[in-house]
Amino acid sequence: MTSLTQWRRTATTAVLSATLVVGGIAGVASPAAAADNPYQRGPDPSRSSIQAARGSFAVSQTSVSRYGVSGFGGGTVYYPTDQSQGRFGAVVVIPGYTARQSSMAWLGPRIASQGFVVFTIDTNSVYDQPSSRGDQLLAAADYLTQRSAVAGRIDATRVAVVGHSMGGGGTLEAAKDRPSLKAAIPLTPWNVDKTWPEVTTPTLVIGAQNDSVASVATHAKPFYQTLPASTPRTYLELRGASHFAPNTSNTTIAENSIAWLKRFVDDDTRYTQFLCPTPSGSALSAAASSCPF
């Protein structure tokens, strides 16, 4: 854990201790505050609920042919079947270099079952570079929210992007080009561009300690460190993990991604408790954060 993280943890604890009020603790939504949030979906969360393989929402899926869309290579949409709670935020997920949507498919139902519409996409070419992948994320987001069969279930103002490797680099490209995105999650990201002072979208960067493809020293860490101080941001490093950790079911990736999406796409402060203080534990070899958000 970095000394910066330890300092932030101490500061956060002090702030929370000093702001105890009737009805709750700062950073944790009181019943009244939760009721005032029109984007809140699902029951009160717990550590076990965000770590679970499935959340509280039943999920269906539908395929999107690459021949019926433009700007990206089609994909699979996972969506909650419940329409009683209003529209949901959307999440577009893109794979890495030479990979297809199947490499990220595990994230689709896992995130959707927490109350999101999730679109895992294929790229135009498996060799597309990060800048192209960023454009494809945005094209897929526009299709999903405007023309897809589930567009009516989605709040088009609340969209996030997630990507692996060159797709992770693409999430930063997308966030730079479209600041209205609510969240970005680059997973073991790769990009020739190492600095991201233009990104104002809340960004969770997840690197892997033993990544020999996109070393954290030359990719994930500088990506995180060059985000503006005003941008909500967190860096997590998976202990002992390789570049391909995001390609199989991973509880650490899932629980932190879910908390991040809930906090910034749904503006659901019930999930702040999982992000601040900065996450720690045996699954992580390093962590840093700008919390309190």
Side-chain angles (χ1 to χ4, degrees), residues 30-136:
S30 67
D36 291 339
N37 177 9
Y39 308 134
Q40 179 175 304
R41 303 287 183 267
D44 288 342
S46 64
R47 178 67 64 182
S48 61
S49 75
I50 63 171
Q51 290 180 338
R54 292 293 182 271
S56 62
F57 290 91
V59 172
S60 291
Q61 68 184 72
T62 184
S63 296
V64 177
S65 170
R66 68 168 53 241
Y67 302 109
V69 299
S70 62
F72 65 104
T76 304
V77 181
Y78 303 86
Y79 59 94
T81 57
D82 185 354
Q83 298 190 67
S84 68
Q85 296 192 39
R87 299 189 177 196
F88 296 94
V91 183
V92 184
V93 182
I94 195 168
Y97 189 68
T98 74
R100 302 188 184 278
Q101 62 162 316
S102 58
S103 69
M104 304 298 291
W106 71 273
L107 271 174
R110 191 156 184 169
I111 295 175
S113 67
Q114 297 284 347
F116 296 96
V117 176
V118 183
F119 195 11
T120 59
I121 68 169
D122 278 316
T123 48
N124 290 324
S125 164
V126 294
Y127 306 110
D128 289 331
Q129 297 295 300
S131 59
S132 174
R133 289 169 192 264
D135 292 341
Q136 292 178 62

Side-chain angles (χ1 to χ4, degrees), residues 243-259:
H243 182 69
F244 303 100
N247 294 152
T248 55
S249 181
N250 185 297
T251 297
T252 303
I253 291 174
E255 66 177 308
N256 287 286
S257 296
I258 289 164

Side-chain angles (χ1 to χ4, degrees), residues 218-242:
T218 56
H219 291 81
K221 283 183 178 178
F223 295 172
Y224 168 79
Q225 291 165 346
T226 58
L227 292 167
S230 57
T231 296
R233 64 202 190 283
T234 290
Y235 171 76
L236 302 178
E237 187 175 294
L238 304 174
R239 184 183 302 277
S242 77

Side-chain angles (χ1 to χ4, degrees), residues 80-284:
T81 57
D82 185 354
Q83 298 190 67
S84 68
Q85 296 192 39
R87 299 189 177 196
F88 296 94
V91 183
V92 184
V93 182
I94 195 168
Y97 189 68
T98 74
R100 302 188 184 278
Q101 62 162 316
S102 58
S103 69
M104 304 298 291
W106 71 273
L107 271 174
R110 191 156 184 169
I111 295 175
S113 67
Q114 297 284 347
F116 296 96
V117 176
V118 183
F119 195 11
T120 59
I121 68 169
D122 278 316
T123 48
N124 290 324
S125 164
V126 294
Y127 306 110
D128 289 331
Q129 297 295 300
S131 59
S132 174
R133 289 169 192 264
D135 292 341
Q136 292 178 62
L137 280 166
L138 298 181
D142 291 342
Y143 168 82
L144 181 66
T145 59
Q146 298 170 19
R147 299 182 296 281
S148 74
V150 299
R153 299 173 183 262
I154 299 169
D155 179 349
T157 68
R158 296 187 294 116
V159 178
V161 289
V162 178
H164 172 232
S165 191
M166 284 195 182
T171 66
L172 294 165
E173 299 279 359
K176 179 180 71 174
D177 293 343
R178 186 173 293 181
S180 62
L181 290 173
K182 297 302 183 183
I185 305 179
L187 303 173
T188 60
W190 187 100
N191 201 315
V192 292
D193 187 347
K194 309 301 182 185
T195 61
W196 299 96
E198 315 93 337
V199 173
T200 58
T201 298
T203 302
L204 168 63
V205 180
I206 300 182
Q209 184 182 27
N210 294 340
D211 193 333
S212 60
V213 177
S215 164
V216 294
T218 56
H219 291 81
K221 283 183 178 178
F223 295 172
Y224 168 79
Q225 291 165 346
T226 58
L227 292 167
S230 57
T231 296
R233 64 202 190 283
T234 290
Y235 171 76
L236 302 178
E237 187 175 294
L238 304 174
R239 184 183 302 277
S242 77
H243 182 69
F244 303 100
N247 294 152
T248 55
S249 181
N250 185 297
T251 297
T252 303
I253 291 174
E255 66 177 308
N256 287 286
S257 296
I258 289 164
W260 196 261
L261 294 168
K262 284 288 191 178
R263 175 62 185 82
F264 292 106
V265 177
D266 288 357
D267 196 26
D268 193 336
T269 55
R270 296 179 299 171
Y271 288 81
T272 303
Q273 62 183 303
F274 308 115
L275 302 172
C276 293
T278 304
S280 61
S282 60
L284 300 174

